Every structure is written in C-alpha cells, then in structure tokens.
C-alpha cells in the first residue's frame, strides 16, 4: 500500500511538468493551448490564472472534454501547489487518452510568487450564495446573471397593484437598487390587491410601506424613494441612470410622457395595464421594437379611457401581471430568453386565455422615428387635447 506522498511522486514521474514561466509565455502567445485549473470551486473563485478554464479534479472525467479541443492538443493543468494537477494529468494521459498533458510546477502559489497576475472574480457572500442558490442553479442566470441582478437599477412607477408583486419579486431576486415613485398613502381599499402594504400601515406613504416590505424580504436591496408624481418637470432627473423601468402608471398623460422620455434616454420599459378581468403586457425597448406611441398615436376617446377615475379590478389580476413584469425585468437584466419586445400579451382571466400579438414599429412615429437628441423637452408627453382629456373622463 503506497502512501499519498508515494502516489504523487509516482504520478510526477509519469507526466511532464512545466515551469510557471513557460505557462506565462504560453498564455501571452495564445496559440490554442488550454490551461486548466483543477482546484475546487471556492479556490477558483478566490483567484485564478487569467484565461484558465475551470474543471475541478472531482469532475475531471465528465467535464474535461467540454473544456479542451482535440485530445492531442496541449493541455496544462494547475492546482494550488502542483500535486493535484500531477494526479489529474496522469488521469488524462493514462485513462482518458490525452497525449500532450503537463502539470504546472508549484501551482498558483509559485505563479503568484513569481509576480504573475491573477484574476480575482467578484464573489457572492456566503449569505448571498445561499439566498440566490436557486438562481445560480439555472444555467440561463447562473452566477453571472445574479451579479447582473445585484448591479441592476430598476425603477418602479407606482407602488400599487402592479408595483406590489413586481417589487416583492424583484427584491427577492436580488435586484440591487429599486427606485419607487409614488405620491400616495396606503388606503384600506388598496389592500384588496396591493399586497406589499398591510393593515397596520394604512395612512403611511406607499413608498415607506414599500421600503419596509422590500427590506423585510431582502435587506441587500437599496430602496430609493420618490414620494412624488412623475411629471414633465422631474421625469428626466428621476429616470436617468436606471437600467429598466417598470410602468404600472394608471393614466395616459404620464404614459406618453414616460414613453417620450425613455425613448430619448434609451431605457426599456416593461409596461402592464389591467382593467376588470383583463391584463396587457409589453416591453418597449427604444429603437429595438415599437414604442408606446407607435401603437397609440393618440389616446382613446376620454369617455372610453379607463385611467382617470376609479375602476373595478379583480384582486389577483395585478398579481399575475405584476409577476410577469418582474420576469421580463429579470430577462432584460440578465440577457436571457426573448423579452416581450414587439409583442403584446393579453390575459383574459374569465376565460383563462393568453394571446400574444405581434406589434410593429411605425416608421412615421412622431417620437421613435427620430434620433433621441431630436426629441425636445417641449414635445415630450404632449398629445392632442391633453387638458380636455381627463376633464371629460373625470
Ligand atoms: Zn414609436
């Protein structure tokens, strides 16, 4: 029975070892050689050689072929000190049919001693790793996607029926900054659907109630509160710097204003609306798909507009539409899937049906047919008969 030290000595006799200096030169030339880090996940995440691929020794047999090309190509393995990589190199040579394998002498420790660069990727804390573990397990999100979510700045217009589920799920998902614009206070009649608020917060500003709910789920989220109404005087200042805007506003004038400002700043808007048992959802990505004005050059007749007074809505409806908004935000931030750009999703709760309509850009759209810098302050949010519009509906 040989000892561990014997085994390592044996392995080193059977393989070729290479000095860090030579590996450094290899990486500078980049001629297709593959440098493989065989250490554990945590060790790799702390720091690794730039350009190295990661195949933990425990997964060598199952993953090495995905990381390397032809089995005759040169593969250099390294670990912390050169022992594990020697054993791994022997496995590649003897058991897996690789013919040009080497192990780096002294591992990353000697590499660092020689003063060569290492890459220190951003890491999640242990708490974050546990909190977001179910995201990290999905390949389309993974660690990279989670880091993007943590870096993301998302602005919610309205902390009401739609804003409630969106805010709660985005907070849970780890969106790093959530801005909330709402000038209202929590009212008893809100609680039928605005699940972010609660009985004991009736009378409190919705932005404060929202902050409490969000940080109750995830204290990592930075909540930026705007207890105000979005209007022409403040919109550019408020929305500038956000990556995505979630639109749950309930009136047409603000929708037009928001559209024009977001086209000018090229910020995508995830927009939903609800009435009765019906919901609509779309993503307006400036210059990629249609904008709101491409679809609705003018608002509907005031008497048909649902937006200016109190209307009935099924309590759970904003729940489903708000969660769909949250999913679109996650897709936009992480770059996964196909966001609902150029499509309008209709949900009819009474019949339980989803319909997906194609939407096209209007080449003559008064806003998005032009360059962003051509859109002036004066025309933003303006549409025919603006003042008469809500007065008639009121
Ligand atoms: Zn347009």
């Amino acid at each position: 029975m040989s000892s561990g030290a014997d085994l390592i000595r044996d392995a080193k006799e059977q393989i070729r070892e290479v000095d860090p200096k030579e590996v450094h030169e290899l990486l500078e030339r980049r001629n297709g050689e593959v440098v493989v880090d065989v250490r554990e996940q945590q060790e790799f995440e702390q720091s690794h050689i730039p350009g190295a691929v990661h195949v933990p020794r425990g997964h060598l047999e199952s993953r090495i072929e995905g990381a390397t090309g032809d089995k005759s190509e040169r593969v250099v393995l390294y670990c912390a000190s050169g022992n594990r990589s020697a054993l791994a190199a022997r496995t590649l040579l003897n058991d897996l049919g690789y013919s040009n394998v080497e192990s780096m002498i002294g591992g990353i420790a000697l590499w660092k001693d020689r003063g060569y660069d290492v890459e220190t990727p951003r890491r999640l804390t242990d708490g974050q790793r546990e909190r977001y573990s179910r995201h990290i397990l999905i390949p389309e999100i993974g660690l990279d996607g989670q880091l993007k979510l943590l870096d993301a700045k998302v602005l919610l217009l309205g902390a009401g029926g739609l804003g409630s589920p969106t805010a709660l799920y985005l907070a849970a998902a780890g969106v790093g900054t959530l801005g909330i614009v709402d000038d209202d206070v929590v009212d008893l009649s809100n609680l039928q659907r605005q699940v972010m608020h609660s009985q004991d917060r009736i009378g409190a500003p919705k932005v404060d109630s929202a902050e409490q709910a969000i940080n109750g789920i995830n204290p990592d989220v930075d909540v930026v509160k705007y207890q105000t109404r979005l209007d022409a005087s403040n919109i550019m200042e408020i929305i500038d710097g956000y990556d995505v805007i979630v639109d749950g506003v309930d009136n047409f004038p603000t929708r037009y204003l928001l559209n024009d400002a977001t086209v000018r700043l090229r910020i995508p808007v995830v927009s939903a609306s609800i009435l009765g048992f019906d919901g609509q959802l779309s993503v307006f990505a400036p210059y990629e798909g249609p904008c709101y004005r491409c679809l609705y050059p003018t608002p509907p007749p005031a008497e048909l507009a649902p937006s200016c007074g109190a209307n009935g809505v099924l309590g759970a409806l904003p729940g489903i539409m708000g969660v769909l908004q949250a999913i679109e935000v996650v897709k936009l931030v992480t770059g996964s899937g196909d966001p609902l750009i150029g499509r309008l999703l209709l949900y009819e709760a009474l019949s339980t049906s989803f319909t997906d309509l194609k939407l096209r850009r209007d080449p003559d759209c008064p806003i998005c047919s032009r360059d962003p810098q051509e859109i002036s302050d004066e025309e933003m949010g303006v549409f025919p008969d603006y003042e008469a519009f809500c007065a008639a509906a009121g």
Side-chain angles (χ1 to χ4, degrees), residues 148-213:
K148 286 179 187 165
L149 286 168
L150 287 164
D151 286 341
K153 295 181 73 177
V154 177
L155 182 68
L156 301 168
L157 304 183
L162 289 163
S164 283
T166 317
L168 294 176
Y169 273 102
L170 291 180
V175 168
T177 303
L178 280 178
I180 300 177
V181 184
D182 201 308
D183 69 339
D184 216 352
V185 295
V186 179
D187 182 82
L188 180 59
S189 68
N190 299 151
L191 300 183
Q192 168 252 17
R193 65 203 173 283
Q194 301 184 14
V195 295
M196 184 158 56
H197 308 301
S198 58
Q199 181 84 23
D200 62 339
R201 298 204 285 270
I202 288 174
K206 284 189 181 173
V207 289
D208 291 343
S209 172
E211 181 184 39
Q212 219 174 315

Side-chain angles (χ1 to χ4, degrees), residues 86-140:
L87 293 168
R90 188 174 64 169
T91 304
L92 291 195
L93 281 172
N94 293 353
D95 303 332
L96 294 172
Y98 282 78
S99 55
N100 194 0
V101 182
E102 293 159 317
S103 166
M104 190 175 83
I105 296 165
I108 197 167
L110 184 57
W111 172 276
K112 284 183 189 167
D113 285 349
R114 297 274 177 87
Y116 300 136
D117 281 348
V118 291
E119 201 167 291
T120 309
R122 280 180 58 202
R123 300 179 64 208
L124 298 178
T125 64
D126 289 346
Q128 287 173 325
R129 184 166 286 284
E130 191 173 344
R131 179 185 288 272
Y132 306 120
S133 60
R134 299 306 189 275
H135 267 170
I136 295 165
L137 286 168
I138 312 174
E140 288 81 357

Side-chain angles (χ1 to χ4, degrees), residues 259 290-294 362 365 367-369:
N259 178 71
C291 76
Y292 188 73
R293 277 191 198 260
C294 290
D362 175 2
C365 172
I367 294 295
C368 80
S369 66

